[in-house]
């Protein structure tokens, strides 16, 4: 029994390291895709770039297929990660959830507060309050990977846990704050499909394809209902079984584990970079200092750089000093501060929420993207600088 448990621990640690490596390497591809989009959008090829994105492909434009359909696969992976972590991962018990949970919540609330304070005089901008509340896990892990062994493994796991809870919060925000009108018929169909997914789980169906087929139908129903269709990915993920036994709490042959491992490289190296490439292209030719420091981009940038770091570092410090949680093993105060700053990289999810808040192609969307790019870049550079010299306690 001990030997079986030991082998499980080794396999689990290996799986976690493999997933972190995939996400970190995917972060490099995302950085390259975002840089390429910025270069193309400010080059003679910009006309072709924007034309292709807005070209109709069936009922939706190319950009809508990326932001509505492919993004659902990102949310499917996020949902699988959340379920695994909650059932049999780093957040499988309340003591383990306290530190990343409090850090994630504070890291969402404080940036939103900073944004609202900066934009309080411009009511039209307040719809974007949630934009600086998200953390881009791929981008952040990619930056951490550049620092190599100077960053303890405990910080990488803490960052992953914070980002997972952060994503869960973003899902709730999207469902509540960015849903306008609802179609009762489509909503009823979506409810029936959710019941079908629940029934497949209760019947212990271990094949993956029935869940994916029901999930595809659910995406169509949710898209027609008025709720953002990406949430269908989360609902599908929560129904996929995670098989457990006494000896092996997490079975590598579980449908959830198999689907997660199959999706992770596709999402990291194809879908997320494609999303970044399609959404990071901002024409900077007419941007002046006044436009860059307007309340909307300034509120987003300050929310990401100051709000994230203050909220996360402050909550971690408070919990550790009060004795309610243990500090990450082997991490100094300076390194925790650097990690908190890296959480201000809000690229992918922030761009996604921007499109929901202001609409694709709007003037506010372009202005918000400037704040996202600037804030994420500053957070990455400052976080790297602090972590790079943070080896001493």
């Amino acid at each position: 029994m001990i030997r079986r448990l030991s082998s499980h621990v080794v396999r689990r640690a290996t799986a976690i390291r493999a997933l972190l490596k995939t996400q970190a390497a995917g972060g490099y591809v995302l950085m390259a895709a975002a840089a390429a989009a910025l270069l193309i959008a400010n080059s003679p090829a910009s006309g072709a770039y924007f034309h292709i994105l807005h070209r109709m492909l069936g009922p939706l434009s190319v950009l809508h297929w990326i932001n509505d359909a492919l993004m659902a696969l990102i949310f499917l992976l996020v949902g699988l990660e959340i379920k695994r972590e909650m059932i049999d991962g780093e957040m499988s018990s309340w003591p383990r959830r306290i530190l990343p949970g409090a850090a994630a919540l504070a890291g969402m609330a404080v940036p939103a507060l900073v944004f609202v304070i900066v934009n309080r005089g411009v009511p039209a901008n307040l719809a974007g309050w949630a934009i600086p509340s998200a953390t881009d896990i791929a981008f952040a892990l990619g930056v951490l990977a550049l620092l190599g062994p100077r960053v303890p493994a405990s910080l990488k796991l803490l960052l992953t846990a914070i980002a997972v809870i952060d994503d869960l919060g973003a899902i709730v925000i999207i469902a509540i704050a960015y849903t306008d009108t609802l179609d009762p018929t489509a909503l009823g169909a979506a409810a029936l499909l959710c019941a079908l997914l629940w029934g497949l789980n209760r019947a212990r169906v271990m094949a993956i394809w029935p869940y994916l087929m029901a999930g595809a139908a659910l995406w169509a129903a949710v898209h027609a209902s008025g709720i953002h269709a990406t949430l269908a990915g989360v609902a599908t993920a929560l129904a996929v079984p995670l098989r457990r036994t006494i000896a092996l709490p997490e079975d590598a042959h579980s449908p959830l584990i198999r689907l997660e491992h199959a999706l992770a490289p596709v999402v990291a190296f194809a879908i997320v970079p494609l999303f970044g490439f399609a959404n990071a292209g901002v024409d900077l030719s007419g941007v002046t200092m006044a436009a860059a420091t307007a309340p909307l981009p300034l509120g987003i940038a300050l929310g990401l750089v100051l709000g994230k770091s203050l909220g996360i570092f402050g909550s971690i410090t408070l919990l550790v000093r009060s004795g309610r949680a243990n500090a990450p093993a082997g991490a100094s105060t300076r390194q925790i501060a650097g990690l908190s700053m890296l959480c201000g990289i809000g690229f992918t999810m922030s761009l996604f929420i921007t499109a929901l808040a202001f609409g694709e192609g709007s003037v506010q969307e372009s202005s918000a993207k400037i704040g996202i790019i600037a804030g994420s870049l500053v957070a990455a550079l400052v976080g790297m600088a602090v972590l790079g010299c943070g080896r001493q306690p």
Side-chain angles (χ1 to χ4, degrees), residues 39-375:
L39 289 174
I40 294 173
N42 292 276
S43 75
S46 61
Y49 169 81
F50 290 110
H51 174 74
I52 291 173
L53 288 177
H54 293 96
R55 185 174 181 177
M56 295 304 295
L57 192 63
L60 301 174
S61 68
V62 172
L63 184 60
H64 274 103
W65 278 115
I66 294 172
N67 289 353
D68 289 2
L70 291 184
M71 199 63 183
L73 294 178
I74 298 177
F75 275 67
L76 173 60
L77 180 61
V78 167
L80 294 172
E81 291 174 346
I82 290 172
K83 181 173 181 177
R84 175 176 52 76
E85 291 295 338
M86 289 293 185
I87 292 178
D88 190 39
E90 296 301 316
M91 295 178 290
S92 57
S93 63
W94 282 111
R96 289 183 174 185
R97 295 169 187 162
I98 290 175
L99 189 65
L105 291 175
M108 297 181 74
V110 178
L113 179 61
V114 170
F115 177 88
V116 170
I117 291 173
V118 175
N119 287 272
R120 64 188 183 280
V122 191
N125 291 349
L126 294 179
W129 63 270
I131 294 172
S133 65
T135 294
D136 191 310
I137 184 172
F139 223 131
L141 284 174
V143 173
L144 274 185
L146 292 174
L147 297 169
R150 283 177 290 181
V151 180
S154 61
L155 281 187
K156 297 175 184 178
L157 291 174
L158 178 60
L159 172 62
T160 303
I162 290 174
V164 166
I165 298 175
D166 194 296
D167 285 340
L168 179 60
I171 290 165
V172 174
I173 289 172
I174 290 169
I176 296 175
Y178 297 109
T179 297
D180 297 323
T181 58
L182 296 176
D183 183 314
T185 302
L187 202 59
L192 290 175
L193 288 164
C194 285
L196 173 61
L197 285 166
W198 180 81
L200 291 172
N201 180 285
R202 295 294 295 175
R204 298 183 179 181
V205 174
M206 292 298 165
I208 295 176
W209 67 267
Y211 297 95
L212 295 181
M213 289 188 65
L218 178 61
W219 178 89
V222 174
H223 186 271
S225 73
I227 301 174
H228 202 274
T230 51
L231 298 181
V234 180
T236 302
L238 296 180
V240 178
L242 177 62
R243 188 167 53 189
R244 309 172 75 213
T245 65
I246 296 176
L248 296 173
E250 181 187 279
D251 190 336
H253 297 290
S254 292
L256 187 147
I257 302 300
R258 288 187 285 124
L259 183 56
E260 182 181 6
H261 288 178
L263 267 180
V266 176
V267 169
F269 295 110
I271 297 177
V272 170
L274 181 59
F275 175 87
F277 181 77
N279 288 275
V282 182
D283 186 354
L284 301 176
S285 59
V287 176
T288 63
M289 182 58 68
T293 56
L296 180 56
L298 183 62
I300 293 171
L302 290 177
L304 289 171
V305 176
L306 295 180
K308 275 287 186 181
S309 57
L310 290 175
I312 293 175
F313 182 76
S315 60
I316 291 176
T317 301
L318 183 63
L319 284 173
V320 171
R321 290 187 176 179
S322 66
R324 295 181 180 274
N326 296 323
S332 67
T333 300
R334 185 181 297 176
Q335 287 175 319
I336 295 173
L339 176 79
S340 303
M341 181 61 69
L342 280 188
C343 288
I345 303 174
F347 194 76
T348 304
M349 196 63 73
S350 293
L351 288 172
F352 183 63
I353 294 176
T354 296
L356 297 179
F358 300 121
E360 293 170 355
S362 66
V363 174
Q364 286 172 304
E365 184 193 30
S366 298
S367 179
K369 286 181 178 181
I370 295 172
I372 294 169
I373 293 169

